Amino acid sequence: MPTPDTFWTYSSAISVYLVVLAVPGGLIGWAAGLRGWALAGLTPLLTYTATGLAGPWLALVGLPYNVGTAAAFTVLLAGAAYGVRAFGLRRGWVPTEALADRPPLPWTKRAHVAVAACVVLATVLSIIVVLSASGGPNAVFQRWDTVFHANGIRYIADTGDGSLTGMGTINWYPDGSFYPNAYHLVGALVYNLSGATIPATLNAITVPVAGIFALSMVAMIRQFGGRAVFAGSVAIVAGAATTGAYESVSSGLLPFALGIVLTPLAAVALQRYLVRPAVDTGMVLALSAVGLLCAHSSALFGAMLFAFPMVVQRWIRREGKVGQDVLRMLPVMAASGVLAALQVLGAVGFTSSAYPYTPWASNIEVAEALNQLLKFRQILNQPQLWLAGLLVIGILSFVTLGRMRWIAASAVILSAMFVLVACYGGVSWVITLSRPWWNDRYRLMALAAIPLCLLAGHGLAEIQRWLSKAVSHWSWVRDNPRVPARLGLASAVLVLITMGVVTQGFYTQANATAVAFLYHNGPESKDREQPISAYELEAMAVLKKLGVGPDERVLNDRVDGSAWVYAITGIKPTAGHYDTGVPPKDAEYLANHFREFDTDPEVRAAVKRLNIHRVFLGHGSIKPYMHRAPGIRDLDGLDFLRRDYANPNAVIYTIIK
């Protein structure tokens, strides 16, 4: 269901997000000595580092998080990065010409432009997919976790509280609940700067997700000296593969999807540091690790699994020594720990809290799990066969990856993790091993998709190499001195066009079908009501006009669309999430006994404690098996309530006693 945003408001939200994504991280990266594709790739990650640190640390010292304080924190962090690097240069700890960590294979200017064009194309594909799926740029997300993220962005924007528990107070009051909030802190800036609604802000942040994925992949390939054709091919695959960026978005796992698309950058920062250990490269590695942790708690674990084969390959090839590399990592780990102390302590506290960890206990067949990996599909019935073919070619020709052969080992490790969780998810040790990913095979599939996309892109690049080599032997090519120089570009363009044709536009329609589940516009909800409808949004607008105070809460049902009322209006509900885990005692009691207002003094006491004067009920349910709580059913006709407004899907009552 759409919210009232104009085309220009939504366009400004996208533009603002791109600026917010580029400026803080770009400034910090430049100050730390990053240049070229490394700077371009690491910029989004460093932006999330800056915002993810700013919110909690500002809250700790009693300062609000807003555009001004976020900018000041960014300047402070950039200044520190510049100062550390300058100090290292003066002391001789940083080489004046730091060439060792630069890519060994030069690209021509034409190659740089061509690869950039592929990243742009991947971004365009991402925009087409998301907007085609949503039915509009201001459509409301309908999946489970999205209401929590929407309310979190609104909370930070309205209150300036950037703490790691603050936004959780919308549902888990009064103390809140830990959640890494870099995603929401960036969203709050976009919301405040653009003037868009929360749904439009969420859409704006989601639109370029596959483009960021492509940029991260390209930066990694460039850092390891890969061919430009390989980089461009992987960028296209990143924009086409369902299991890469799109599936996590489809499930509403928005910060997790962010962590996935930023994960390849861990290899960039780690390789730079191991090849040239110095204060500047170590600082970038520390900031990158912190950024992944701030984006999502599992992102750092996933990045470690992804990049570990690269370190092992380094040891096997005797490019480094185990003990020496481990010792060099200690100061980086210490610096990361200090910077992210609030995140680390919060995560440890949350793990030991009363919040339940319920495994999904998936038990599909091993053959089916391998089939899903190979064909880049999990939530769709239609396999991406052309990508599967490219993956097979990439696997068979992995020896030509050179310094990047470790990607094959990474694919084996992460694919094995997916198979374990997908097929043996109920086994106790698998449950423990997969806790960072909530024992969720969909999350592990997205993680495995990173090296699989790289291998598929390698397959596409190999086809271009074979084609170019075959054509180069033609007599008319050898006889024309101008042709060989242009043969590489021409063959790459031909392969790209062919790929676009055979995949019907790089699988945009299939990916749009997958992402549509985020909006409940797809087959998954064909015969079900959406949790939040246009009628409920209309009722929320009416509720806002009734003058609900900032210290009041509105009694609502946990399972219907009313959980969105805070994100849409700024009015606090008693239930701000569909999640039934450890709800506030008063909210739970009222959900079960509110009808007994006249006869139960505890109901009246809970209403008073929460300062409730109105009731807002929507229609439908987030899950078919979740039904309205007994205490808020059939409220019409009760003498302590006055019905102030109703439409086909929503009703508003006022407590008159």
Side-chain angles (χ1 to χ4, degrees), residues 87-146:
F87 181 73
L89 284 167
R90 286 198 301 270
R91 298 297 298 266
W93 298 343
V94 177
T96 305
E97 291 293 333
L99 300 176
D101 61 321
R102 294 184 182 178
L105 179 66
W107 287 357
T108 64
K109 184 177 180 180
R110 180 182 296 174
H112 283 288
V113 172
V115 173
C118 290
V119 173
V120 171
L121 177 57
T123 305
V124 171
L125 293 175
S126 185
I127 293 171
I128 293 172
V129 165
V130 175
L131 293 186
S132 298
S134 68
N138 52 356
V140 177
F141 292 178
Q142 302 278 354
R143 295 305 289 265
W144 181 273
D145 284 324
T146 56

Side-chain angles (χ1 to χ4, degrees), residues 258-327:
L258 172 68
I260 287 294
V261 302
L262 295 176
T263 292
L265 297 168
V268 177
L270 181 59
Q271 195 267 354
R272 292 181 75 252
Y273 179 65
L274 291 178
V275 170
R276 184 178 63 80
V279 292
D280 60 333
T281 55
M283 174 176 56
V284 169
L285 177 58
L287 291 173
S288 299
V290 170
L292 289 170
L293 190 62
C294 291
H296 195 273
S297 298
S298 69
L300 184 57
F301 291 99
M304 292 167 63
L305 288 176
F306 171 69
F308 182 66
M310 181 264 288
V311 181
V312 174
Q313 177 180 288
R314 169 183 164 83
W315 295 335
I316 292 174
R317 297 177 63 171
R318 298 183 180 179
E319 296 172 353
K321 297 179 180 179
V322 177
Q324 191 177 57
D325 284 349
V326 171
L327 287 175

Side-chain angles (χ1 to χ4, degrees), residues 408-424:
S410 180
V412 171
I413 292 172
L414 297 181
S415 296
M417 280 286 294
F418 167 75
V419 172
L420 277 176
V421 173
C423 305
Y424 307 100

Side-chain angles (χ1 to χ4, degrees), residues 28 55 90 100 120 151 162 232 252 303 327 342 371 411 416 448 481 549 624-625 642 645:
I28 294 168
R90 286 198 301 270
V120 171
N151 286 338
L327 287 175
L342 299 179
N371 183 53
Y625 57 83
R642 182 183 71 236
Y645 174 83

